[in-house]
């Protein structure tokens, strides 16, 4: 063994030990300071008023969380417990406020839908979090789009196969910056709307959610251990619909800057 290799191994071992001591190493999760053949980019989202960026861990999304949207999707909102799906972390497309970002029309679909949503950012993890304490786990909020290849989602649903191809694809999660609760508070009510080419398509109030953000955190944490960095897309109101290339979507939530993307 050359001196160089031996020193490298010693350094790696030292770093791994440091990681274990710091409690960073989870079983089955590689410490990010070990040597790897290439580097996978960490998805991050800017935090308003900070030079730090939010490192995205998981993206959870709740389904059918506004009664009128549940009905338009063909289900009965009064009987259904909440259900969740995930998008891959790198499905995030950050959109700078005040700008209109190009958003690529994805492959395989002929029915590409918008879903405007409030996004909660979790900075304190936990399991079985009671809903009364749940908002203490929220660092901040953002405006986001849960973009959906509706034709693929429906086709998979009809075949009782996973929705994934309809929901969990590249750039399927446009998002604005994260606004800390310390600056803007919580979002339990307020207008949420989406315009396409200047025409209002979706419009509702956040207080029409079937399951509040606090309840979503409580329910999610029964199934998964929530961790810092997790994002929760909290569901979309009724009147989802299609966009085509050239369309400009503008999203609004009271208290947040608009989110604007052009489909290209
Ligand atoms: Mn959605």
């Amino acid at each position: 063994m050359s001196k160089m290799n031996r020193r490298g191994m010693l350094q790696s071992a030292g770093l791994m030990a440091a990681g274990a001591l710091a409690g960073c190493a989870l079983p089955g999760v590689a410490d990010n300071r070990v040597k790897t053949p290439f580097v996978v980019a960490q998805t991050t989202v800017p935090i308003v008023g900070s030079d730090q960026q939010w490192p995205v861990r998981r993206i959870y999304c709740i389904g059918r969380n506004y009664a009128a949207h549940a009905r338009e999707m063909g289900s009965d909102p009064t009987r259904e417990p909440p259900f969740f799906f995930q998008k891959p972390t790198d499905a995030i497309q950050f959109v700078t406020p005040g700008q209109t970002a190009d958003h690529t029309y994805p492959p395989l679909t002929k029915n590409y839908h918008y879903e405007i949503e409030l996004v909660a950012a979790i900075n304190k993890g936990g399991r079985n979090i009671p809903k009364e304490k749940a908002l203490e786990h929220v660092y901040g909020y953002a405006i986001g789009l849960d973009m959906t290849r509706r034709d693929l989602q429906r086709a998979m649903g009809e075949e009782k196969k996973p929705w994934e191809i309809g929901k969990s694809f590249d750039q399927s999660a446009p998002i604005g910056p994260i606004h800390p609760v310390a600056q803007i508070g919580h979002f339990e009510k307020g207008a949420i709307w989406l315009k396409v080419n200047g025409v209002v398509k979706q419009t509702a109030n956040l207080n029409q959610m079937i399951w509040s953000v606090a309840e979503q955190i409580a329910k999610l944490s029964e199934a998964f251990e929530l961790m810092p960095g997790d994002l929760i897309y909290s569901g979309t109101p009724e009147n989802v619909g299609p966009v085509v290339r050239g369309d400009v979507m503008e999203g609004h939530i009271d208290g947040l800057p608009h989110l604007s993307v052009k489909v290209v």
Side-chain angles (χ1 to χ4, degrees), residues 55-162:
V56 181
R57 179 181 176 256
R58 292 184 184 171
I59 304 171
Y60 293 105
C61 307
I62 190 169
R64 298 172 196 160
N65 195 33
Y66 290 76
H69 174 60
R71 283 192 289 273
E72 78 180 349
M73 299 307 285
S75 67
D76 178 351
T78 61
R79 285 194 210 147
E80 195 174 57
F83 69 95
F84 300 89
F85 58 92
Q86 290 184 40
K87 289 176 185 270
T89 298
D90 63 359
I92 289 287
Q93 178 191 12
F94 174 67
V95 180
T96 304
Q99 297 180 15
T100 299
D102 283 351
H103 176 85
T104 304
Y105 195 95
L108 303 182
T109 185
K110 291 187 169 61
N111 194 18
Y112 189 40
H113 276 206
Y114 45 77
E115 297 191 359
I116 188 71
E117 308 201 1
L118 175 71
V119 183
I122 303 297
N123 71 335
K124 191 177 139 198
R127 292 182 198 272
N128 298 315
I129 299 165
K131 74 175 180 194
E132 296 74 22
K133 297 255 181 198
L135 292 184
E136 296 171 15
H137 295 251
V138 179
Y139 172 83
Y141 294 90
I143 184 171
L145 282 165
D146 165 16
M147 295 304 296
T148 303
R149 295 192 281 207
R150 191 73 70 200
D151 44 357
L152 302 186
Q153 181 198 21
R154 287 206 176 113
M156 296 301 271
E158 282 162 12
E159 295 177 28
K160 294 190 166 32
K161 289 175 179 169

